Amino acid sequence: MIETAPILLTLQLAVLTTVILFFIAIPVAWWLSQKPSVFKTIMEVLVSMPLVLPPSVIGFYLLMAFRPEAFLAKYMHLRLAFTFEGLLIGSLLYSLPFMVHPLQSGLASLPESLKEASYSLGKSKWVTLTKVLLPNIKPSLLTGIILTFAHTVGEFGIVLMVGGNIPGKTRTAAIAIYDENDLFHYDTANKYALVLIGISFIVLFSMYFINRRIRQSNYF
């Protein structure tokens, strides 16, 4: 019988990461979707780097930032290494491009006339973004939410490095699979794996199904 704590912790981490990144990614994606510049290109590269960097690289530098003699711990008295909060920060950095890129692509695909029409009616940039642009990229919003959630559920390397393996605190389902496999408890590891497969299938199926319904409603 598998423990529910790693699964619940995984879902908690995925939900918090998705919600926080949603609000962070909207202004970032909107800014990056505007007229290109050298500075924006640099920022876009930085946002995209977690896609190509090994999780151990991000995890290593986070551990360096979280160590007792570093600024956060020494002067701000923040103990983040091997805590759920540290785990959350690592997940936010590692999943950032999965939320930003779909939103950026959706905003960039909108006609410029849509934004200009809103401005001509006296609407502010914030009102234009939230009331005009975002409602027109619902598939992109859903894609960013689902991909971020699913990616966080499957995180392993950065979770292990930053959070360690503390039962009930930082031991996620992915780490539980690794532990059980290391102990030759293949049946238990298989059960954890099946749960993650089921979660991944459900969230991806939801994305494709809802996106199809949105496109059909827009078509008719």
Side-chain angles (χ1 to χ4, degrees), residues 205-218:
F205 178 84
S206 300
M207 179 183 72
Y208 288 114
F209 179 78
I210 297 175
N211 271 344
R212 179 174 294 182
R213 294 296 297 270
I214 291 174
R215 291 191 182 96
Q216 289 176 345
S217 63
N218 289 338

Side-chain angles (χ1 to χ4, degrees), residues 1 47 68 116:
M1 190 67 182
V47 168
E116 292 174 353

